[in-house]
Amino acid sequence: PGFRKHLGLLEKKKDYKLRADDYRKKQEYLRALRKKALEKNPDEFYYKMTRVKLQDGVHVIKETKEEVTPEQLKLMRTQDIKYIEMKRVAEAKKIERLKAELHLLDFQGKQQNKHVFFFDTKKEVEQFDIATHLRTAPELVDRVFNRPTIETLQKEKVKGVNNQARLKRIARERQKQYDCLTQRIEREKKLFVIAQKIQTRKDLLDKTRKVKVKKETVNSPAIYKFESRRKR
């Protein structure tokens, strides 16, 4: 009607129901809170009360520090060292097994072993030819493995894989094994450094006077000089 036009559009029934349900829900919640406050026991105690403090009107839980005796801390350090040492020994065994399988064939592109020849005169040194001395072909002198003599090459036939695709695949697999060996060597070094650092922190729990000689780095633990003490 025109006389109530200034009040706007009429509210739909579903909107009224939503608004009414929300109002009743809030009233029920307030009524339950009032009842809980009236029935609360003033002498009631919760363990959480000892860990909560009021800060700026907000309840904040205090952070409790773990109380550990020096003996318990030493024992925990010892357990950590044993675990790290166990992992390091496991890595060392895997490294030895990989080295035995690969025989360090031209590992990282560097020849691991050196062959020393001895001569009596300078003339022999000047006339020395390594291929002739080793009785092999000049093309095979730089090899550290699979270096047959000329007699063997004349008698025996070429054995093994001749397919280029298969040779490349074998080379890739061998390089993959070398990469795995390199990673395990680095991991074993890191575990050794970690064990040293834990042992140093365990030793610092002792009450003996000490002076720091060298700071801790990524690859080495800190070095301390302890006061000499006579043990009975």
Side-chain angles (χ1 to χ4, degrees):
F3 68 89
R4 65 179 312 279
K5 187 177 180 179
H6 64 282
L7 298 176
L9 298 174
L10 288 173
E11 185 179 23
K12 292 183 180 180
K13 185 175 181 180
K14 64 175 185 179
D15 295 333
Y16 165 76
K17 289 183 67 177
L18 290 173
R19 185 163 55 84
D21 291 342
D22 182 63
Y23 175 78
R24 292 193 192 96
K25 184 178 178 180
K26 292 177 180 177
Q27 291 298 320
E28 288 292 334
Y29 186 67
L30 292 173
R31 193 178 299 110
L33 288 177
R34 292 192 190 97
K35 183 178 179 182
K36 188 176 180 180
L38 289 173
E39 295 177 352
K40 182 180 178 182
N41 183 3
D43 298 329
E44 193 171 3
F45 173 77
Y46 294 97
Y47 283 100
K48 194 175 181 180
M49 294 178 182
T50 60
R51 297 187 292 110
V52 178
K53 63 179 181 179
L54 196 64
Q55 185 176 355
D56 297 331
V58 180
H59 289 279
V60 180
I61 299 177
K62 300 177 184 178
E63 294 182 0
T64 55
K65 295 183 179 180
E66 296 183 0
E67 296 182 359
V68 183
T69 62
E71 291 77 12
Q72 293 174 345
L73 197 56
K74 274 189 177 182
L75 182 60
M76 288 190 291
R77 296 287 188 195
T78 307
Q79 297 297 328
D80 293 341
I81 292 173
K82 288 181 179 178
Y83 176 75
I84 296 295
E85 193 64 24
M86 180 191 69
K87 301 296 288 184
R88 190 189 68 80
V89 170
E91 286 293 333
K93 289 182 179 178
K94 291 177 183 177
I95 289 170
E96 291 299 325
R97 187 167 64 249
L98 280 174
K99 284 182 179 180
E101 292 174 359
L102 298 173
H103 303 290
L104 288 178
L105 305 181
D106 196 19
F107 181 57
Q108 294 181 349
K110 296 181 180 179
Q111 187 171 342
Q112 298 294 318
N113 300 323
K114 293 182 179 180
H115 200 150
V116 181
F117 300 96
F118 296 93
F119 300 96
D120 297 329
T121 61
K122 292 184 179 180
K123 186 178 180 180
E124 293 180 354
V125 176
E126 294 174 356
Q127 296 177 354
F128 174 71
D129 183 29
I130 187 171
T132 306
H133 188 81
L134 295 175
R135 294 180 297 126
T136 186
E139 295 83 3
L140 305 177
V141 169
D142 295 333
R143 284 193 176 187
V144 295
F145 66 97
N146 193 14
R147 188 171 57 197
T149 61
I150 294 176
E151 292 83 359
T152 305
L153 292 173
Q154 291 174 352
K155 293 178 182 178
E156 300 290 338
K157 293 182 179 180
V158 178
K159 297 179 181 179
V161 182
N162 296 327
N163 189 1
Q164 291 295 328
R166 192 173 178 188
L167 284 173
K168 290 181 180 179
R169 183 174 62 82
I170 292 173
R172 286 197 302 269
E173 290 178 357
R174 187 176 65 180
Q175 186 61 41
K176 186 177 179 181
Q177 291 292 325
Y178 281 130
D179 294 339
C180 179
L181 177 60
T182 306
Q183 292 175 4
R184 290 196 179 277
I185 290 173
E186 291 295 327
R187 191 179 299 120
E188 193 268 340
K189 289 180 181 177
K190 290 180 180 178
L191 289 173
F192 179 72
V193 173
I194 291 171
Q196 283 186 323
K197 290 183 178 181
I198 295 176
Q199 181 64 41
T200 303
R201 290 170 187 168
K202 176 175 172 286
D203 295 337
L204 290 176
L205 297 175
D206 196 355
K207 300 299 182 181
T208 310
R209 291 178 57 188
K210 47 200 167 282
V211 179
K212 182 182 281 188
V213 179
K214 186 179 178 182
K215 293 183 179 179
E216 183 179 296
T217 61
V218 179
N219 299 320
S220 63
I223 299 176
Y224 290 85
K225 185 178 181 181
F226 290 82
E227 182 184 9
S228 60
R229 180 182 294 179
R230 182 179 178 183
K231 295 183 179 180
R232 297 181 179 178

